[in-house]
Amino acid sequence: MEAEPPVLSHRLRTVFRRAGAVSYRRPFSLRSCGHGGPSRAAQERGGPRGETHGFSHLSPRFRPYTPMRGSLSNVWYDRYKISNDCPEHIETIDSMCQALTGLIDDEVKNGIGKNRILLGGFSMGGGMAMHLAYRHHQEVAGVFALSSFLNKNSAIYQSLKKIEREPPELFQCHGTADELVLYSWGEETNKMLKSLGVVTTFLSLPNLYHELNKSELEKLQAWILKKLPEQP
């Protein structure tokens, strides 16, 4: 497993504080879960974290996780299986969307407009962020999804067909050697979102497994600064 460099983590914290943004993401200070690392559920549970002028966050919940035969796991939502070719577990997805909406509402009450908010995450956290943004908070500045995917019949696609405004821009990265969340799933997700009017950036990361690396995070940092430049 490869740990994210501490210096880059500090820079990202600085970027978010300057931007006055809230980002729901996997904590970058945690070790990435790569090939041969922790269990499939642990690898996939990377999720959003809240951040604005510091770090506030809402953690995933322990819930029965079907891919682990119903055993309790700390995940954002349930899946029928880890595949893009099955229905979404919409009940647990919507439950977490409601909880995370409360956190966004708190930031708005504190004076941060939704156009200064980014939503994003790693793996399942990226999926969570896409559901939150494209179905419930279409006014946010953008979304980032790292090693993430959507199911072929995702409710997000149905929501985007009805949208009456320009949807949030998407920054997406995926390792070509990912054996948990296949590269083709991420690529298919990006193509589908693009066909529905989402402006996207899709970065292929050669020989990268289901993990984060320094180059990926540096590119994410540059995108964040572009989307949320420092205000005078």
Side-chain angles (χ1 to χ4, degrees):
M1 297 190 300
E2 179 183 345
E4 184 274 315
V7 173
L8 185 59
S9 180
H10 172 72
R11 289 176 181 173
L12 280 169
R13 287 198 296 270
T14 301
V15 167
F16 281 118
R17 282 198 294 268
R18 286 180 178 178
V22 56
S23 172
Y24 299 95
R25 59 180 177 87
R26 179 182 176 182
F28 287 111
S29 58
L30 295 183
R31 287 192 293 271
S32 306
C33 299
H35 178 63
S39 69
R40 291 169 69 87
Q43 291 183 54
E44 207 208 0
R45 72 187 178 206
R49 182 174 179 177
E51 177 176 1
T52 174
H53 303 291
F55 290 89
S56 60
H57 69 277
L58 182 63
S59 299
R61 297 177 178 176
F62 277 101
R63 66 173 80 247
Y65 192 50
T66 301
M68 292 181 60
R69 299 181 179 179
S71 297
L72 290 178
S73 184
N74 193 25
V75 292
W76 289 103
Y77 48 87
D78 196 10
R79 294 191 188 278
Y80 293 107
K81 58 181 178 178
I82 302 177
S83 169
N84 71 338
D85 196 16
C86 66
E88 293 176 315
H89 202 288
I90 201 69
E91 180 182 352
T92 53
I93 292 174
D94 286 350
S95 173
M96 282 308 305
C97 282
Q98 183 177 2
L100 289 165
T101 288
L103 189 56
I104 294 175
D105 289 344
D106 287 343
E107 299 300 335
V108 172
K109 289 177 183 177
N110 288 330
I112 299 176
K114 284 190 180 181
N115 65 340
R116 298 289 295 172
I117 292 175
L118 293 171
L119 304 176
F122 172 80
S123 194
M124 185 183 282
M128 186 78 256
M130 287 189 282
H131 274 278
L132 195 59
Y134 293 121
R135 294 177 57 215
H136 301 284
H137 298 280
Q138 297 167 346
E139 311 93 331
V140 299
V143 183
F144 61 89
L146 313 177
S147 303
S148 307
F149 75 100
L150 296 175
N151 297 54
K152 289 183 177 181
N153 64 344
S154 176
I156 288 175
Y157 301 145
Q158 305 307 314
S159 179
L160 286 172
K161 289 177 181 178
K162 303 173 184 177
I163 193 171
E164 297 181 352
R165 58 179 299 138
E166 183 178 353
E169 183 179 341
L170 174 67
F171 177 89
Q172 190 176 355
C173 300
H174 214 114
T176 61
D178 195 331
E179 296 180 345
L180 177 63
V181 175
L182 300 184
Y183 174 82
S184 61
W185 299 353
E187 190 176 41
E188 182 178 321
T189 295
N190 189 273
K191 288 179 179 178
M192 187 64 179
L193 290 171
K194 193 171 184 177
S195 74
L196 292 169
V198 178
V199 175
T200 71
T201 298
F202 184 82
L203 298 180
S204 299
L205 303 170
N207 304 315
L208 188 70
Y209 296 100
H210 196 64
E211 58 189 345
L212 301 170
N213 69 8
K214 181 178 179 180
S215 173
E216 177 180 13
L217 294 179
E218 287 175 340
K219 289 180 173 63
L220 172 60
Q221 177 182 350
W223 181 79
I224 289 169
L225 285 170
K226 179 182 177 182
K227 294 300 297 180
L228 298 177
E230 185 173 1
Q231 292 182 324

